[in-house]
Amino acid sequence: QWESALQLHGGMLRSKVELDRISTNAAIASCERSSAWESSLKLFSSMVQSNAEIDTTTYNAAISVCKTAGEWERSLHLLSRMEQNKVEKDGTTYSATLSACEKGSVWERSSHLFDCMVQRLREPNTIAFNAALSTYTESSRWEMGMQVFSVMGSNKIELSVVTFGAAISACAQGSKWEMSLHLLGMMPLQKVECNMVTLNSALSACGKNGEWQHALQIFGVIAHAMMEP
């Protein structure tokens, strides 16, 4: 499908049909789904060269392509262009850029991005915060990850199973087994169902600190869950 999208878009260019955001966004998204990231960025460049109006959705599509391709430097470049051109950034912008930084293991950049997001984003969302939390956890910066979790609570950001999974994993890294159990106990109160990731992370936190009684209790929960049809 992405080849057809490119052909159609190329035909519009040759016919000097005015490029519109909807068609270009659709073509870029099609290329992202097919991992044809270089082609999608060429489409973005064609919009720039034709002086077409580029909005938040178009930038988000291009940044998402960079995230999929692991091109974190390109994603930061696009974010910088948005700043220069005074294009509004939303939760998707930050979450895609943070995820790109996560794949590139560049937590220092993520830290700056997270600060900008908290200060500027009108409506911070769970996905954007989760991306920051996961970045720090994957980079073994568990203290910073827990700070993100704390900010989410202070700003009443909805907590998901991904949020708890990353936070409990951060606790395991920091040998904070008590906190991991506390977070595990929070999940039912937040109406978030435990999964194997959260349970295994809590198990790891308890095991590393010799808390075998707690570890065995969690193991029993895991074993029961595995036996359920």
Side-chain angles (χ1 to χ4, degrees):
Q1 296 295 326
W2 67 272
E3 293 97 333
S4 299
L6 286 178
Q7 289 174 3
L8 177 61
H9 202 271
M12 292 174 66
L13 280 172
R14 288 189 295 272
S15 301
K16 297 183 179 181
V17 175
E18 183 179 356
L19 290 175
D20 66 272
R21 289 172 292 179
I22 295 176
S23 62
T24 303
N25 291 349
I28 291 175
S30 178
C31 290
E32 179 192 0
R33 289 191 295 269
S34 303
S35 300
W37 64 272
E38 291 178 320
S39 297
S40 63
L41 292 182
K42 287 180 180 178
L43 292 181
F44 182 86
S45 296
S46 69
M47 288 194 74
V48 174
Q49 293 169 4
S50 64
N51 295 319
E53 183 180 355
I54 306 177
D55 64 0
T56 303
T57 303
T58 309
Y59 271 106
N60 287 351
I63 292 173
S64 293
V65 167
C66 295
K67 174 196 71 176
T68 302
E71 295 286 326
W72 63 270
E73 291 175 312
R74 289 176 183 262
S75 69
L76 291 175
H77 174 70
L78 290 172
L79 192 71
S80 178
R81 284 187 64 96
M82 292 181 76
E83 191 77 31
Q84 294 170 5
N85 295 320
K86 297 181 180 180
V87 178
E88 184 178 359
K89 296 176 281 293
D90 60 14
T92 301
T93 312
Y94 284 106
S95 62
T97 310
L98 284 165
S99 294
C101 291
E102 176 189 350
K103 289 189 175 183
S105 299
V106 283
W107 67 268
E108 299 95 336
R109 302 294 183 94
S110 299
S111 180
H112 175 68
L113 274 176
F114 178 73
D115 290 340
C116 291
M117 179 181 72
V118 173
Q119 294 171 11
R120 302 178 185 179
L121 202 57
R122 295 177 184 175
E123 298 180 1
N125 62 26
T126 303
I127 295 175
F129 273 86
N130 283 351
L133 180 53
S134 295
T135 299
Y136 294 138
T137 303
E138 292 294 327
S139 303
S140 299
R141 302 286 170 175
W142 67 270
E143 290 176 314
M144 298 178 74
M146 293 310 298
Q147 287 178 11
V148 173
F149 186 86
S150 178
V151 172
M152 291 181 75
S154 300
N155 288 274
K156 298 181 179 179
I157 306 297
E158 183 180 357
L159 306 177
S160 69
V161 67
V162 175
T163 312
F164 280 103
I168 294 174
S169 180
C171 291
Q173 291 178 8
S175 298
K176 300 294 182 181
W177 66 270
E178 302 99 327
M179 179 59 73
S180 70
L181 293 180
H182 173 71
L183 293 176
L184 205 61
M186 276 182 62
M187 295 183 71
L189 300 176
Q190 295 289 329
K191 298 181 179 180
V192 178
E193 187 174 351
C194 294
N195 63 7
M196 287 299 176
V197 174
T198 53
L199 290 170
N200 282 330
S201 295
L203 179 62
S204 175
C206 292
K208 285 180 180 178
N209 290 275
E211 294 296 325
W212 299 113
Q213 185 175 357
H214 292 294
L216 287 172
Q217 290 175 349
I218 296 171
F219 184 78
V221 174
I222 294 174
H224 178 74
M226 292 179 67
M227 291 176 64
E228 288 184 347

